[in-house]
Amino acid sequence: MLDLSASTCYRILQTLMKYSWVEKGPGGHYELSFGVLPVLFKLQKHSYGLGHAQEILNGLSNETGLSCKLSIRQGNEQLTLIRAEAPGPFAVTGKIGARFPLIEGSVGAALAAQYTDQEIQELLDLCPQDDLPEKKDPKILWDAVGQVRKNGVAVNLQQNRWHICAMSSPVQLPGGETAAALTLIGFEKDFSQPKRSRLKKSLENACTKL
C-alpha cells in the first residue's frame, strides 16, 4: 500500500491526466494514456520523443513505398498515435487519433498476441460491434494472433471493413511486453507473396529502433 490519503491520490491523478499520462476509462477506472508512451520505449542516443518515432515511420514509409502507422491500446480500443504517408501519388490514408475496436485487423492481432487465449476471448465477447469481421468470424482474429506468435507479424488481406491490406508487428519493451503495434498499409498488390519477406524485414527493423 502507498499509505496516501484519498485527496493526495486524487491530486496525483489530476496531474497525470493533465499531461495525458493517465485517462479515465469506461466504468470510472483510470488507465495509462498515450502521453506516457515516450517513457515506455527504450532510450536512444538522444532523448526519445514522438518526433523521433515520426522520423522512423517516415523512413519506413520511404523504404517500403507504403503508408504506416503506430497504434497503442487504450482500454478496449486501439488508437492511431502517429502515421506517415506513402511517398507516391496514391496511398491508403487515415486519421491520427482514430480509434477502432482492439480486436480489429492486423493491429489488433499484434497488440493482443501477448495476452492469454482467455483474455483474447474476453475481448471478443466484450466488443459491441457485431458488424466487425472478427466478431462475425473470430477465426480471423485467432489466425492473425497465431501469425504474430509464430512469425512476428500479422497480414490482413482485405478481411476488414475497408477492404484494404495491412501488415502489423508488435513493438516490444525490453521485458517482452508489447507497447504498441507498427503497421504497413496498402493495396493487395503491395503485399504479394514475393514482397512479404522484404516488408516483414523492414517492419521488424523499424520496430527495433523505437
Side-chain angles (χ1 to χ4, degrees):
M1 300 293 291
L2 296 177
D3 196 26
L4 298 175
S5 67
S7 60
T8 298
C9 289
Y10 179 78
R11 288 196 298 271
I12 292 173
L13 279 172
Q14 292 303 304
T15 300
L16 294 174
M17 290 175 69
K18 177 181 178 181
Y19 292 100
S20 297
W21 279 39
V22 167
E23 69 172 5
K24 199 168 186 177
H29 65 278
Y30 293 89
E31 58 192 28
L32 293 179
S33 185
F34 67 88
V36 77
L37 184 66
V39 302
L40 294 177
F41 290 100
K42 296 177 292 184
L43 291 177
Q44 303 293 318
K45 293 180 181 179
H46 53 279
S47 296
Y48 180 85
L50 290 184
H52 170 66
Q54 185 67 63
E55 290 177 3
I56 293 174
L57 265 67
N58 291 344
L60 178 62
S61 179
N62 288 329
E63 179 182 345
T64 62
L66 301 177
S67 298
C68 56
K69 66 177 181 178
L70 187 69
S71 307
I72 60 171
R73 176 179 181 175
Q74 279 199 316
N76 289 335
E77 294 181 311
Q78 52 179 271
L79 168 71
T80 302
L81 190 63
I82 56 175
R83 62 175 294 119
E85 302 299 337
F90 300 102
V92 179
T93 188
K95 295 181 179 179
I96 293 175
R99 295 174 180 269
F100 309 96
L102 181 60
I103 64 171
E104 187 166 15
S106 61
V107 174
L111 291 173
Q114 64 179 318
Y115 303 125
T116 66
D117 288 358
Q118 180 179 345
E119 289 172 323
I120 294 173
Q121 185 60 54
E122 289 173 356
L123 290 171
L124 276 163
D125 294 340
L126 289 171
C127 181
Q129 292 189 228
D130 292 332
D131 63 333
L132 211 64
E134 288 82 0
K135 187 76 170 182
K136 293 179 178 178
D137 182 8
K139 187 175 183 295
I140 295 174
L141 176 61
W142 289 114
D143 286 350
V145 166
Q147 290 179 39
V148 176
R149 290 173 174 174
K150 181 179 180 180
N151 301 316
V153 300
V155 179
N156 187 306
L157 300 179
Q158 299 183 328
Q159 288 183 302
N160 51 67
R161 292 179 286 173
W162 299 277
H163 304 291
I164 60 174
C165 299
M167 175 186 287
S168 298
S169 181
V171 180
Q172 295 181 324
L173 302 175
E177 180 184 357
T178 296
L182 185 58
T183 304
L184 291 169
I185 312 163
F187 302 101
E188 189 170 10
K189 64 179 179 61
D190 298 316
F191 294 91
S192 63
Q193 197 63 47
K195 297 179 180 179
R196 286 189 203 175
S197 60
R198 177 178 59 83
L199 293 176
K200 178 178 183 290
K201 183 177 180 180
S202 296
L203 184 62
E204 292 180 330
N205 183 52
C207 284
T208 65
K209 297 178 181 178
L210 288 168

